[in-house]
Amino acid sequence: MADRSTSDLYDHPDLYDALLPAEAQASFYAGLARQHAGPVLEVACGTGLITIPIALEGVPTVGLDQSAAMLAAAQARAAAAQAPVTFVQADMRSFVLDRHFRLIVIARNSLLHLLSTADLLAAFAAVRRHLAADGVFAFDIFNPDVLRLARPAGQRFPVMEVDTTRFGRVRVEETADYDAAAQVNRAAWHITAPAQQSEWTVPMVLRSIFPQELPLLLDAAGLELVSRFGEVSGAPFTSRSRIQLCLCRRRP
């Protein structure tokens, strides 16, 4: 592996998929697609790990992402799986598709890349414009871990060690500096692997959205939170839940 010390993780879909598989999320969202039986849009679809299982349910499916590299990988995966997906390169804050969807998905913390309230509201408004009157907007984000956010700035903490076919055993450590006023964790992942000539450092900058704040943001964009779960298994959401998995509708 070449030295990628200045790269973005989303420029390298192969490693992204190795570090962040999505089997459980894919199963959950494909189940929602079966339930709602209509056109589906996945925003921030990445390499298609969720989009393609949805399309294989037999519903018209669109995958949207801003990254050309991720979309190229998604298109190749869809072709290999013979999954009929339409892919679109666009910004989640301002996309215009001139159609409505029974299900819109933003999975795996993708919303948290929107660091300002204005950007979040713009994305929610774009979703609402494309959501059918009886449609569902589904997404999952971290439930903020205040102990993790309070870690000393710049100190390294382990994130994961993963055995991969292509890269061997990959180790990831994280340094972070949480800005409590902005609710933004400015972290970096430090990645090492046997084939890598030097440590690879990539930014991992994410906003925190706290449980009491979330319904207010949705309401401001004309959406309402219908259900919130703590896992893709459908377990109830509690203060100790790892994620916030939310199902929303257009507000009347």
Side-chain angles (χ1 to χ4, degrees):
M1 189 189 305
D3 181 3
R4 299 170 171 176
S5 59
T6 60
S7 296
D8 188 297
L9 184 59
Y10 303 106
D11 293 330
H12 302 286
D14 48 0
L15 188 61
Y16 174 90
D17 286 350
L19 294 178
L20 299 170
E23 288 87 351
Q25 294 95 332
S27 177
F28 175 83
Y29 289 113
L32 277 184
R34 285 194 302 273
Q35 180 181 344
H36 293 284
V40 178
L41 168 65
E42 186 187 6
V43 177
C45 67
T47 62
L49 292 176
I50 293 172
T51 322
I52 291 164
I54 289 174
L56 292 175
E57 292 295 330
V59 297
T61 304
V62 176
L64 181 149
D65 204 284
Q66 192 170 13
S67 167
M70 298 290 267
L71 282 175
Q75 288 168 334
R77 176 174 276 120
Q82 297 185 326
V85 183
T86 300
F87 289 104
V88 177
Q89 186 173 10
D91 190 314
M92 75 168 79
R93 297 167 293 185
S94 57
F95 63 92
V96 178
L97 301 180
D98 296 323
R99 61 183 296 191
H100 293 90
F101 297 87
R102 292 288 308 281
L103 174 64
I104 299 180
V105 172
I106 307 182
R108 303 206 294 166
N109 299 303
S110 295
L111 276 170
L112 302 184
H113 291 292
L114 302 177
L115 305 184
S116 72
T117 297
D119 283 347
L120 279 167
L121 292 178
F124 286 153
V127 165
R128 190 186 188 282
R129 288 193 299 270
H130 292 81
L131 192 62
D134 60 347
V136 169
F137 169 38
F139 63 91
D140 62 274
I141 57 175
F142 285 133
N143 185 24
D145 181 343
V146 294
L147 294 178
R148 181 173 180 174
L149 295 176
R151 288 172 173 174
Q155 186 172 334
R156 289 201 180 202
F157 292 90
V159 175
M160 68 179 83
E161 288 193 33
V162 180
D163 288 315
T164 70
T165 301
R166 178 169 179 182
F167 305 107
R169 187 163 186 81
V170 178
R171 181 177 182 181
V172 182
E173 296 180 317
E174 180 181 84
T175 56
D177 186 1
Y178 180 59
D179 181 342
Q183 297 179 204
V184 174
N185 194 31
R186 301 189 181 278
W189 277 11
H190 308 280
I191 303 170
T192 56
Q196 191 169 327
Q197 296 175 6
S198 60
E199 184 178 79
W200 175 30
T201 300
V202 298
M204 191 60 63
V205 181
L206 299 174
R207 176 180 169 142
S208 290
I209 302 177
F210 289 88
Q212 290 294 317
E213 171 189 23
L214 181 57
L216 301 177
L217 290 169
L218 291 164
D219 184 72
L223 298 164
E224 62 178 343
L225 179 62
V226 176
S227 302
R228 176 160 40 183
F229 305 101
E231 294 291 343
V232 293
S233 65
F237 176 75
T238 72
S239 61
R240 295 186 179 182
S241 294
R242 185 180 58 86
I243 65 170
Q244 304 178 70
L245 194 163
C246 301
L247 304 182
C248 311
R249 293 190 182 275
R250 290 174 54 172
R251 197 181 63 223

